[in-house]
Amino acid sequence: MANSGKSQKATSSSGRQPHQYFDYEIRPQIGDAGSYFYHSHVGFQAVSAAGPLIIEEQAGQSPPYSYDDERTMFLTELYNKTDDMIVERLSEPLSTVAWTGEAGTFLVNGKSYAPLDADQTQTPQPWTQPNPSLMTDCGPEVIEVEPGKTYRMRMIGAMALNLVNIGFQDHTNITVIAADASYVQPAETDRIQLGSGQRFDLLLQTKTESELQSLGKSLFWIQIDTRYRPINSTAYALLSYKTITNTPSLNHTIPSSPPSTPPLSVPTDFQSWLEYTLSPLTPSSFPPSTSVSRHVYLSSAQLTSPSGLFFSVQNRTWTESNQHLNATPFSQTIPSTGPPYLTDIYRRGQAALPNYTLATTHHSGWDPTTNTYPAQTGEVIDIILINQPDGLPIGFDLHPWHVHGGHVWDLGSGPGEYDAGANEERIRALGWEPALRDTTMLYKYTESELVGEGKNYTSQGWRAWRLRVEEPGVWMIHCHTLQHMVLGMQTVWVMGNASEITGGTAPDLVEGYLEFGGSAYGNATHDPLVNHYFD
């Protein structure tokens, strides 16, 4: 289990057998208040094994922005296959591999109108057949508000695949106040753009009673649109006003079906939304370019071989079932695995760490023995994310890149090749201090999957991050698209030395966590043995 944006300490892998449970102990720090979500990190489970996680301000403190109330919109996707069916077909040899199909609909807090069926979503067989005895009438999530108030809307993107545009009918007075659980300077917008793993908090000013009377309605569509997919679909929720006066002209009846024509137009430019705009609410000690010790490039590309379809980083892959140790090629499907990295560090100490010198001097930051990226506490690294096409259908996609273990400064993005000097000059000219983020989009910068001859495996777009290594641990940096994760688009970073990572904790104090099914796991017959670190 992972939680997007919130670090996990003192545990290794938390995989559980059926009917077991595992206790997490998380102590939010001052400054951690914000919108997060928890989710599984195994296979395709995060499409449904997920939920909002809200950290409030410490006792006695108020949020830096004023509002009357808050609402949460937790977005997920519904597919016409089970999680296991999806992983099985994605993992087959190239001759039989099959894509997931598109999402049937988007769920807002678990609700939606009836989804598109398997044919409509181009879903290869076999399909999931719903049990008619369990089926009920579908309906949208209804977000209830009162007139003349300001609401904090927590928008949480737990989708598997899609980047979505979210618009509020007749409500364009939207102010973004936080991104990925980091407060930002107020940024005005008329819509929200949300990718997998991202969270945006916004202030929405509701209409007054008299404005509702003028409009003659109290229900407003919340429209959710996709882009860059073979099928660009639309889903809906509703903003419903609880009016003081009982006026017959204000219809409060929830429609039994979505509108036949979308009430909002979908923008064509997704790449520029709030780029080079969001800045931290308070100064964040943004490190200058002169403090950067090295650049690490992570190119995203689809690769194929007779053994299957893969989404790679620097022509390498990593999954929870195949660590690809000792530089085994991406196409090798026979697992090359060892003990979980953090478990190994607790047991073997410094000997379990990747070779930092070898990685940084000979392999552009990557250690081939462990298939990890080592980093030293205190160093500042620029991570450059590159998007490369491969000339095949569904082979060129956008990627919501996500970092575990803290936040990075997002330095912006653009088409073509990355030019560090030009981007630094742009930042200086704008007088812009980048916001701290943990999930940002690596765009395609083209509508097409096929970008022309001679351009396969060349940079068509980039995004740059600046990381100050301050949280020792074993952390993942990966694309948050679940299909891409299943197919290998993940990296593991080992930050700090062994004593920093373990906090000097002796292995015998955490032994129950280091064995799969150990004493830290509970079931119907016994409770887990838990060491409390924050008592």
Side-chain angles (χ1 to χ4, degrees):
M1 191 73 71
N3 41 83
S4 284
K6 192 75 199 78
S7 306
Q8 296 175 32
K9 304 290 285 185
T11 65
S12 55
S13 170
S14 58
R16 291 173 296 281
Q17 297 175 356
H19 307 295
Q20 287 188 334
Y21 65 95
F22 184 98
D23 286 350
Y24 278 99
E25 189 172 61
I26 300 174
R27 186 181 190 181
Q29 302 297 308
I30 294 174
D32 285 346
S35 303
Y36 304 85
F37 70 102
Y38 63 86
H39 55 279
S40 171
H41 233 283
V42 174
F44 210 73
Q45 293 176 5
V47 75
S48 56
L53 176 63
I54 307 302
I55 299 178
E56 298 179 348
E57 262 70 23
Q58 68 185 108
Q61 292 288 328
S62 298
Y65 289 94
S66 297
Y67 48 89
D68 297 300
D69 207 345
E70 63 180 62
R71 299 288 186 266
T72 296
M73 289 182 60
F74 185 73
L75 273 72
T76 54
E77 292 172 349
L78 180 66
Y79 286 83
N80 287 294
K81 288 177 176 286
T82 66
D83 300 351
D84 288 342
M85 292 165 67
I86 285 173
V87 173
E88 181 179 348
R89 293 306 307 276
L90 286 175
S91 304
E92 290 183 2
L94 190 62
S95 59
T96 58
V97 69
W99 189 244
T100 58
E102 300 302 307
T105 190
F106 297 95
L107 306 176
V108 178
N109 301 336
K111 298 179 182 179
S112 170
Y113 285 112
L116 301 176
D117 64 26
D119 284 328
Q120 292 170 312
T121 56
Q122 300 179 356
T123 301
Q125 292 189 12
W127 305 329
T128 303
Q129 298 297 326
N131 183 341
S133 67
L134 300 178
M135 296 178 67
T136 58
D137 292 337
C138 299
E141 171 70 343
V142 178
I143 308 292
E144 291 191 346
V145 295
E146 296 180 6
K149 291 192 174 182
T150 301
Y151 286 84
R152 178 177 183 164
M153 306 290 290
R154 298 180 184 267
M155 318 293 286
I156 301 177
M159 303 81 67
L161 174 65
N162 283 277
L163 172 69
V164 299
N165 177 80
I166 304 171
F168 295 79
Q169 185 185 25
D170 295 329
H171 294 70
T172 56
N173 52 335
I174 295 171
T175 304
V176 174
I177 60 169
D180 299 339
S182 291
Y183 284 114
V184 296
Q185 298 283 346
E188 303 300 322
T189 182
D190 60 357
R191 62 189 178 91
I192 293 295
Q193 190 169 294
L194 192 64
S196 176
Q198 293 185 315
R199 292 93 61 215
F200 289 100
D201 290 27
L202 57 97
L203 296 181
L204 180 72
Q205 181 66 46
T206 60
K207 296 188 177 300
T208 64
E209 286 265 2
S210 60
E211 287 174 322
L212 295 175
Q213 297 290 346
S214 286
L215 291 168
K217 59 181 180 179
S218 62
L219 295 174
F220 299 85
W221 293 108
I222 303 173
Q223 182 175 315
I224 304 161
D225 295 284
T226 64
R227 284 297 299 263
Y228 301 124
R229 301 304 311 160
I231 300 170
N232 287 319
S233 59
T234 302
Y236 296 93
L238 275 168
L239 192 69
S240 174
Y241 276 80
K242 183 179 180 181
T243 54
I244 298 172
T245 57
N246 186 18
T247 305
S249 63
L250 300 182
N251 183 11
H252 293 274
T253 303
I254 304 302
S256 60
S257 61
S260 57
T261 302
L264 301 176
S265 59
V266 182
T268 57
D269 179 14
F270 268 42
Q271 287 90 219
S272 63
W273 185 75
L274 295 187
E275 289 290 321
Y276 297 91
T277 299
L278 298 179
S279 292
L281 183 60
T282 57
S284 61
S285 302
F286 173 57
S289 59
T290 52
S291 67
V292 175
S293 62
R294 55 194 174 102
H295 291 70
V296 175
Y297 286 79
L298 301 179
S299 61
S300 306
Q302 178 184 271
L303 301 175
T304 60
S305 81
S307 59
L309 176 70
F310 305 91
F311 274 84
S312 68
V313 183
Q314 294 296 106
N315 297 327
R316 297 182 285 267
T317 57
W318 188 98
T319 68
E320 69 266 14
S321 60
N322 194 345
Q323 294 171 306
H324 285 283
L325 304 178
N326 300 309
T328 57
F330 71 89
S331 56
Q332 179 173 307
T333 55
I334 299 173
S336 171
T337 60
Y341 297 112
L342 188 54
T343 297
D344 204 25
I345 293 169
Y346 269 102
R347 286 184 169 156
R348 296 199 298 127
Q350 200 70 18
L353 262 62
N355 189 321
Y356 178 88
T357 302
L358 177 70
T360 55
T361 58
H362 296 288
H363 297 287
S364 302
W366 170 71
D367 174 58
T369 302
T370 59
N371 193 18
T372 66
Y373 288 79
Q376 295 178 344
T377 302
E379 70 174 318
V380 177
I381 305 169
D382 276 5
I383 299 173
I384 315 304
L385 307 166
I386 303 295
N387 206 353
Q388 298 180 339
D390 70 347
L392 297 174
I394 75 163
F396 186 37
D397 208 345
L398 48 79
H399 305 284
W401 274 91
H402 173 64
V403 55
H404 289 224
H407 289 73
V408 294
W409 286 273
D410 183 82
L411 306 181
S413 66
E417 298 276 352
Y418 177 63
D419 184 328
N423 197 49
E424 287 292 335
E425 180 55 37
R426 181 176 184 181
I427 291 172
R428 282 194 294 270
L430 291 170
W432 176 56
E433 180 180 352
L436 284 162
R437 302 291 303 278
D438 62 38
T439 312
T440 50
M441 299 300 303
L442 177 58
Y443 295 109
K444 293 167 55 177
Y445 288 97
T446 176
E447 290 279 347
S448 175
E449 293 178 344
L450 309 176
V451 296
E453 285 295 321
K455 293 185 178 180
N456 292 345
Y457 302 108
T458 63
S459 176
Q460 298 302 303
W462 56 268
R463 180 167 291 282
W465 288 346
R466 185 158 295 163
L467 166 69
R468 179 187 286 130
V469 181
E470 297 178 307
E471 291 285 345
V474 180
W475 307 115
M476 296 190 70
I477 296 178
H478 63 91
C479 173
H480 215 281
T481 298
L482 297 190
Q483 288 89 333
H484 299 174
M485 292 173 64
V486 168
L487 295 171
M489 192 170 278
Q490 308 182 81
T491 65
V492 177
W493 290 62
V494 181
M495 301 184 185
N497 60 38
S499 63
E500 291 170 334
I501 291 171
T502 64
T505 304
D508 60 322
L509 293 178
V510 293
E511 189 61 38
Y513 298 85
L514 305 183
E515 287 287 347
F516 183 66
S519 61
Y521 298 76
N523 58 31
T525 64
H526 67 272
D527 293 328
L529 179 64
V530 179
N531 289 319
H532 294 278
Y533 294 93
F534 303 115
D535 289 347

